[in-house]
Amino acid sequence: MEMTVTTPALLFPAISLFMLAFTNRFLSLAARIRTLHDSYRESGDNAIRAQIENLRKRVHMIRHMQGYGVMSMLACIFSMVCIFQEFMLPGQILFGLSLLFLTVSMLYSFLEIRISIHALDILLQDMEN
């Protein structure tokens, strides 16, 4: 298979959009944590504490998602540089690594979504009690 510089360049829009989505998730979680923290200080409710613990896990997962997204972007950039310099094998390996890092980032995203559903379950259980 012959690769040109444009092959890894195709990943740039996807990686950028994922990074934007991850950043938006992080910002909304940070705002939610601040709100819940204030509520917990006032009431000491265990349901709020459980939500905060859930959000802590999610924030750590988003950090991993962003980290793997950044590594994907860097591997993609270095892949393009190698291909531009006609170092085809290192360029192809770096492109493969970029895809691998992007896949790991997406797996973390999937798991984080599953945890967010658990957070909603906590709210629903609180409403039932």
Side-chain angles (χ1 to χ4, degrees):
M1 176 180 116
E2 187 169 326
M3 279 182 58
T4 64
V5 175
T6 57
T7 304
L10 292 173
L11 279 185
F12 270 75
I15 296 170
S16 299
L17 286 174
F18 286 132
M19 293 300 292
L20 181 62
F22 298 159
T23 300
N24 286 340
R25 277 178 164 164
F26 177 80
L27 292 175
S28 67
L29 285 181
R32 182 73 179 139
I33 289 170
R34 288 183 185 99
T35 303
L36 286 173
H37 180 264
D38 293 341
S39 297
Y40 181 74
R41 283 190 170 254
E42 291 174 8
S43 69
D45 187 9
N46 284 333
I48 294 174
R49 183 173 179 80
Q51 287 181 48
I52 291 172
E53 289 302 317
N54 182 285
L55 292 174
R56 178 190 312 258
K57 290 178 195 172
R58 291 176 59 197
V59 166
H60 288 290
M61 293 188 85
I62 290 173
R63 180 181 65 191
H64 290 295
M65 290 172 1
Q66 289 175 324
Y68 281 109
V70 167
M71 289 192 302
S72 177
M73 182 70 85
L74 289 173
C76 196
I77 290 168
F78 290 132
S79 171
M80 290 173 56
V81 169
C82 286
I83 292 170
F84 183 74
Q85 294 295 321
E86 297 182 4
F87 302 130
M88 297 309 287
L89 183 60
Q92 290 172 341
I93 291 170
L94 285 166
F95 180 65
L97 282 173
S98 179
L99 291 174
L100 178 67
F101 290 143
L102 186 59
T103 302
V104 172
S105 181
M106 293 294 95
L107 289 173
Y108 270 107
S109 176
F110 174 74
L111 294 173
E112 190 268 334
I113 289 169
R114 291 191 61 189
I115 291 174
S116 71
I117 291 170
H118 180 66
L120 294 174
D121 286 340
I122 292 171
L123 287 175
L124 292 174
Q125 286 174 357
D126 186 50
M127 287 176 49
E128 290 171 355
N129 293 336

